[in-house]
Amino acid sequence: MTQFKDLVFSGMQPTHSLHLGNYLGAMVNWVRMQDTHACIYCVVDLHAITMPQDPKALARNIREVAAAYIACGIDPQRSILFNQSRVHQHAELAWVFNCVARMGWMSRMTQFKEKAGKDRENASVGLFVYPTLMAADILLYRATAVPVGEDQKQHLELTRDIAQKFNNDFADTIAEAGFGEAFFPLPEPMIQGPATRVMSLRDGTKKMSKSDPSDYSRINLTDDADAIAQKVRKAKTDPEPLPSEAAGLSGRPEADNLVGIYAALKDVSRDAVLAEFGGANFSTFKAALVDVAVEKVAPITAEMRRLTADPGHIDAILASGAEKASVMAEETMKAVKEIVGFARA
Ligand code: TRP
């Protein structure tokens, strides 16, 4: 697949404000990737409405998530940053993919089953076809690498299946249009591993999540220093002092999580953290953790505040990103229309 240029695409839904799990698990990685790859980062608002949204809150969240991307270090000069609904070709390509993907494939998607719950008859049709829209997001730019969490692996496999079936089904017209053997690349997931997985502060066996009813389970990027200090102080622990090596954290999910967060914030290993804090009790360690967390999160929070105070500025950044994305998207859609056999003007 040497014909495809290296290109990274990823996105997050604007259904909530971001938390430390999003930052350490995904965003840090996205920011780094800007040094080595062309990157497109999207606020996937079309995906957000697969579940009911309050329109005013949605509009606010789109800007807030865009502000969080920028505050964390996504540079809109270097990378393309936009919200999905501004580039109509996402929906257009998703329709073509709805006609490529098979009912059987879609019915196996575990995230749909989880999100729809027991009342499947009442789930939106959009929720069911969510993964074809995700495939369209990625393949519209013919992206080759997609940094995502473990939970999105199945959607990436589906994306590859769709790309492959499209390439096979339309092999003749793809060749005639001069694209050789394959029009779409088979994008590779870059799975963000357990080393960067941040767990709930209330339960070290559950992922830190926006949907946890307890706000004490997570550190939000909008939390101020006091809130961070309180949440860390209340974080669940066990009665033992810290071990002196990472191996000693096994079977101690809460200790492992707090040490892991500290290590990720400092960009060092768990062993390095424990070389310093081995034998210490949690009150000592938590005080140090509050310091590094505040040191890292406070500037992000401040920058997000500055940015969200001027919604017009964020909108201008998103509009300019969308303009760049549209040029690439239109080029793909033009080819797709020719390949599929739609008459052109
Ligand atoms: N489904 C992804 C999630 O919930 C978000 C998403 C939508 C995405 N489109 C994408 C991620 C394209 C990567 C690439 O996390």
Side-chain angles (χ1 to χ4, degrees):
M1 289 272 168
T2 45
Q3 80 201 84
F4 298 106
K5 270 194 296 203
D6 265 4
L7 179 69
V8 167
F9 184 99
S10 200
M12 276 187 208
Q13 291 194 49
T15 47
H16 62 105
S17 47
L18 301 190
H19 53 68
L20 199 62
N22 302 123
Y23 175 68
L24 294 174
M27 212 50 97
V28 169
N29 197 16
W30 291 14
V31 169
R32 255 186 223 143
M33 232 135 20
Q34 299 180 111
D35 296 333
T36 49
H37 292 77
C39 301
I40 304 179
Y41 295 121
C42 187
V43 180
V44 292
D45 49 10
L46 296 176
H47 278 102
I49 63 164
T50 56
M51 302 285 266
Q53 299 296 329
D54 167 38
K56 296 222 166 74
L58 179 62
R60 219 173 24 246
N61 283 338
I62 292 167
R63 294 191 182 106
E64 191 174 299
V65 169
Y69 282 17
I70 299 166
C72 290
I74 303 295
D75 174 0
Q77 302 298 324
R78 276 202 290 169
S79 299
I80 296 180
L81 165 60
F82 71 107
N83 59 313
Q84 193 183 22
S85 62
R86 286 180 192 261
V87 179
H88 62 79
Q89 290 88 347
H90 286 254
E92 212 175 345
L93 185 58
W95 177 258
V96 175
F97 288 170
N98 281 340
C99 303
V100 172
R102 307 287 91 187
M103 285 297 285
W105 302 359
M106 303 299 285
S107 304
R108 284 194 283 277
M109 294 294 118
T110 54
Q111 185 171 294
F112 171 74
K113 293 181 203 169
E114 276 160 28
K115 285 201 179 172
K118 286 205 175 65
D119 193 8
R120 207 173 286 183
E121 292 291 304
N122 199 33
S124 74
V125 176
L127 188 65
F128 185 67
V129 295
Y130 177 115
T132 53
L133 178 59
M134 179 161 163
D137 297 342
I138 298 164
L139 294 173
L140 190 53
Y141 305 97
R142 301 207 278 166
T144 52
V146 186
V148 280
E150 186 76 32
D151 62 327
Q152 296 299 311
K153 212 169 142 186
Q154 195 185 30
H155 289 163
L156 248 291
E157 277 157 20
L158 182 87
T159 301
R160 294 165 63 89
D161 288 343
I162 289 174
Q164 182 77 64
K165 184 161 163 47
F166 184 95
N167 289 341
N168 291 345
D169 288 356
F170 298 105
D172 291 350
T173 45
I174 287 171
E176 275 162 35
F179 292 102
E181 302 230 314
F183 180 67
F184 287 120
L186 306 185
E188 293 288 341
M190 302 167 84
I191 301 293
Q192 292 140 5
T196 51
R197 189 171 307 155
V198 178
M199 312 305 277
S200 158
L201 298 180
R202 311 296 293 166
D203 176 352
T205 63
K206 281 200 317 206
K207 250 174 81 172
M208 185 176 282
S209 160
K210 59 177 175 183
S211 45
D212 193 314
S214 168
D215 199 49
Y216 275 92
S217 69
R218 65 188 156 257
I219 293 174
N220 302 305
L221 294 183
T222 46
D223 284 345
D224 61 18
D226 282 346
I228 294 173
Q230 255 190 42
K231 288 176 176 183
V232 171
R233 234 175 276 132
K234 289 213 164 141
K236 189 172 168 203
T237 54
D238 58 40
E240 303 294 319
L242 284 169
S244 49
E245 286 170 14
L249 293 168
S250 77
R252 299 178 64 185
E254 282 80 22
D256 183 55
N257 187 37
L258 295 182
V259 171
I261 291 173
Y262 188 99
L265 287 167
K266 285 273 209 187
D267 198 15
V268 297
S269 70
R270 280 173 169 76
D271 275 320
V273 176
L274 293 172
E276 191 180 343
F277 289 98
N281 58 27
F282 276 104
S283 61
T284 310
F285 180 66
K286 280 180 168 182
L289 178 56
V290 169
D291 287 346
V292 281
V294 169
E295 189 185 306
K296 263 277 153 59
V297 175
I300 296 175
T301 311
E303 180 64 3
M304 278 176 69
R305 287 234 172 86
R306 195 183 70 78
L307 288 163
T308 46
D310 186 356
H313 178 61
I314 298 182
D315 288 351
I317 292 173
L318 292 173
S320 138
E323 218 170 282
K324 292 183 233 167
S326 293
V327 173
M328 298 168 73
E330 190 46 34
E331 201 183 311
T332 302
M333 264 331 283
K334 219 176 125 205
V336 166
K337 285 179 182 170
E338 181 179 343
I339 289 165
V340 168
F342 294 153
R344 287 172 304 133

